[in-house]
Amino acid sequence: MTTTLLSPARTCPVTPSPRAGVPAVPVPEALAVLAARAAVALEAALTGFLAATDQNLGHFETQAAHEVQELLRTATQRAAQAKADAAPPRCPVCGQALSRCSAGHARTFQTRFGDITLHRTRGYCKRCRKWRTPADTALGLDDTAGYSPGVQAMAALAASKLPVAEASVVLEHLAGVKLPPATLDREAKRQGQRAQRLRTQLDQHAATEQKQLELVLQPYQMIIQLDAWNIRERDAWGQSATLRRRGQEPERWHWVWTGTVFRLDQRGQTAGGRPVIVQRGYVFTRQGLDALREQLHAEALRRGLGQAASVLVIGDGAVWIWRLADDRWPQAKQRLDFYHAVQHLVAVGRALWGEDKVAFKAWLKPLVRQLKNESAVKVIRQLEEALAGLPTGPVAEAVTKEVAYFREHQHRMDYRAARRAGEPLGSGPVEATCRQGQCRFKRPGQFWSPAGDEALLCLETFWRNDRWTLLFPHTAFDPARN
């Protein structure tokens, strides 16, 4: 028998699930009764805690959380069911009224307080040609494997910071949420792919947004730094021996393109005098240089690139960095990382002096000081003079290569002007960023897939860039302010 339920929120017939022979569902206890029972249990726990000489406050915290667990789970289930019942039978994608609606579709979800079972209405969208469950969308439960938004956020954050086996144990220990490693891995990857779609939308919006630029009280400089590091993936997994017999060495290591951006006036010092950047943006991607260029440019726009008086790009000398800078920020100044410049001076010194460490240090020290405090031109001139006195051979070839390097980057080595302007000489911030990424993604025994590593890298950038709440709006909710 079909019952038609008419209300402002329901525009289609709803066919309830058959209930013939099913016993009546008992009336659930009121939350006030459950709260009173929990209060009694807490009082008993308090009495037991005071009498136990071998327990500290941590014991009571654990006991208290256990006693209120059922109250919180029940309240969560009732709140979710009430919102599910109030969801209008319209397609959450196109807004079209659903047809062929039927109620009572049960589904169990894991929340941070335990499992809850909801009964929802499902209907068919003729425009999308898909079955829809509006209640799931209203509750933030769509496109999941059965986890509440709170558990989704936990899975995403834990897996982006720890290997999934460790993250699974930590989640259960700290939050009581049980997610087996394989399940946690799937959920984190799902959330990472959702983050990728949102990242694309945000980057497109940043690139096309046409808003009036705000007047700035003081001009500032935008600093952009780029680098890359290797990650190991399962290329042609299981086919290594076959490929080697064919003379092909299987690829395992691939570049993670990395960038960071900040305003010069957002750099300060700690109490001990160490430089520190107060605010900055991050980019990690495995999707290639084009993806790095677009993502880093969008991040720079969000950080104030449009209002910057000038832009400075700093890198370690890799050709791709300067090509990318010329393409995306052609008006920007470019600077070679001072440490890498010194490394090339060291290469010349070792070629000239070999194992004579005393002569090597006596030759190197004044050149480094001159490069930093005076002029790269003087340093290049001295290298050319040293080269002119060398006979033809391997030493001359090594020095010739380094002299060419310094000539190529001469316009990027004005470190004296940089020091006077208070600008950074090196690419330390992006080097540190690369190191932090490697500490997570290059642990012993770890292999990745392009889809898996990009998903977690994207989650990491959302967290670092303080945009986690765009993925999980509930994490911005502060009950004390509502």
Side-chain angles (χ1 to χ4, degrees):
M1 179 178 179
T2 301
T3 304
T4 303
L5 304 178
L6 298 178
S7 69
R10 301 189 182 276
T11 58
C12 65
V14 177
T15 304
S17 301
R19 295 184 176 275
V22 177
V25 177
V27 177
E29 290 184 301
L31 289 179
V33 175
L34 292 175
R37 187 176 292 117
V40 172
L42 287 174
E43 289 286 356
L46 174 59
T47 301
F49 172 67
L50 295 177
T53 59
D54 60 338
Q55 292 185 2
N56 59 31
L57 184 58
H59 293 83
F60 183 77
E61 289 177 293
T62 303
Q63 183 68 28
H66 173 75
E67 298 300 347
V68 301
Q69 185 81 4
E70 179 57 24
L71 171 63
L72 295 174
R73 190 200 67 79
T74 302
T76 300
Q77 171 152 338
R78 293 186 191 177
Q81 187 63 63
K83 193 145 191 170
D85 293 342
R90 291 189 171 277
C91 176
V93 176
C94 69
Q96 176 79 15
L98 299 178
S99 62
R100 298 157 63 185
C101 296
S102 57
H105 293 272
R107 189 178 180 188
T108 299
F109 296 93
Q110 183 177 357
T111 75
R112 62 189 305 167
F113 306 122
D115 291 349
I116 63 173
T117 300
L118 304 180
H119 296 84
R120 306 108 68 237
T121 296
R122 189 180 69 168
Y124 186 75
C125 177
K126 296 179 180 179
R127 181 177 298 172
C128 298
R129 296 184 179 181
K130 289 186 177 181
W131 289 94
R132 304 289 191 190
T133 309
D136 289 358
T137 302
L139 294 168
L141 301 172
D142 53 329
D143 298 326
T144 76
Y147 306 105
S148 71
V151 175
Q152 294 172 35
M154 288 181 186
L157 183 57
S160 68
K161 299 298 181 183
L162 294 168
V164 291
E166 296 178 23
S168 175
V169 175
V170 169
L171 275 180
E172 182 174 0
H173 182 74
L174 295 181
V177 174
K178 297 181 180 181
L179 289 177
T183 304
L184 176 59
D185 181 66
R186 287 194 300 271
E187 183 60 25
K189 185 179 296 184
R190 183 174 13 256
Q191 296 305 322
Q193 292 168 349
R194 187 167 70 90
Q196 288 178 248
R197 294 190 293 270
L198 179 56
R199 179 182 64 187
T200 300
Q201 297 173 9
L202 293 173
D203 290 351
Q204 291 173 348
H205 179 71
T208 60
E209 186 180 32
Q210 299 293 328
K211 68 178 182 180
Q212 183 178 0
L213 297 180
E214 300 177 0
L215 295 176
V216 294
L217 297 178
Q218 293 182 347
Y220 59 84
Q221 186 178 44
M222 182 68 67
I223 310 296
I224 299 174
Q225 300 188 359
L226 305 94
D227 206 344
W229 49 281
N230 277 318
I231 195 170
R232 187 164 57 167
E233 294 180 350
R234 293 178 181 270
D235 301 68
W237 196 247
Q239 304 176 30
S240 300
T242 302
L243 290 174
R244 289 191 175 104
R245 283 196 295 270
R246 297 174 183 172
Q248 304 175 19
E249 184 64 26
E251 296 185 16
R252 289 286 182 265
W253 294 95
H254 301 273
W255 292 114
V256 175
W257 309 100
T258 303
T260 188
V261 55
F262 57 93
R263 288 169 41 170
L264 187 59
D265 60 355
Q266 292 174 340
R267 190 179 65 162
Q269 289 185 340
T270 63
R274 183 174 62 86
V276 62
I277 302 172
V278 180
Q279 296 181 23
R280 63 178 171 129
Y282 301 85
V283 169
F284 291 110
T285 185
R286 265 284 297 118
Q287 294 179 337
L289 281 175
D290 289 341
L292 174 67
R293 180 179 63 246
E294 300 309 318
Q295 292 175 31
L296 190 56
H297 183 66
E299 188 62 34
L301 288 173
R302 284 189 286 265
R303 301 280 171 173
L305 177 64
Q307 294 99 326
S310 62
V311 181
L312 171 62
V313 177
I314 305 179
D316 62 8
V319 174
W320 67 266
I321 293 178
W322 313 125
R323 289 179 178 174
L324 189 153
D326 289 338
D327 175 54
R328 178 50 75 181
W329 310 288
Q331 305 303 320
K333 292 192 301 181
Q334 297 179 2
R335 176 162 301 135
L336 176 69
D337 172 64
F338 178 74
Y339 178 76
H340 282 83
V342 171
Q343 283 185 318
H344 284 269
L345 278 179
V346 170
V348 175
R350 287 175 176 167
L352 292 174
W353 302 104
E355 298 299 324
D356 190 344
K357 295 183 179 180
V358 175
F360 166 69
K361 291 181 179 179
W363 174 88
L364 179 64
K365 189 173 181 180
L367 283 179
V368 171
R369 183 168 54 248
Q370 193 172 59
L371 180 64
K372 185 175 184 180
N373 300 320
E374 298 181 31
S375 170
V377 175
K378 296 180 180 180
V379 174
I380 295 173
R381 186 179 303 122
Q382 293 182 60
L383 296 181
E384 290 173 338
E385 292 173 355
L387 176 62
L390 292 175
T392 302
V395 174
E397 291 178 2
V399 176
T400 299
K401 178 180 177 181
E402 298 304 333
V403 169
Y405 179 88
F406 275 91
R407 286 172 179 166
E408 178 185 356
H409 294 291
Q410 177 179 330
H411 65 289
R412 302 184 178 107
M413 295 184 180
D414 195 353
Y415 302 115
R416 178 176 61 179
R419 293 180 66 228
R420 290 176 176 175
E423 298 171 352
L425 304 186
S427 55
V430 75
E431 297 279 355
T433 300
C434 290
R435 177 59 180 159
Q436 292 164 10
Q438 292 178 77
C439 287
R440 169 60 185 95
F441 289 88
K442 291 178 70 171
R443 299 192 180 197
Q446 285 190 331
F447 286 86
W448 301 89
S449 67
D453 54 29
E454 184 67 19
L456 289 190
L457 287 167
C458 189
L459 288 175
E460 180 68 10
T461 57
F462 267 81
W463 178 262
R464 286 174 173 265
N465 291 325
D466 294 325
R467 284 193 281 275
W468 196 252
T469 57
L470 298 181
L471 274 175
F472 305 103
H474 71 274
T475 59
F477 177 68
D478 185 355
R481 298 182 180 179
N482 288 269

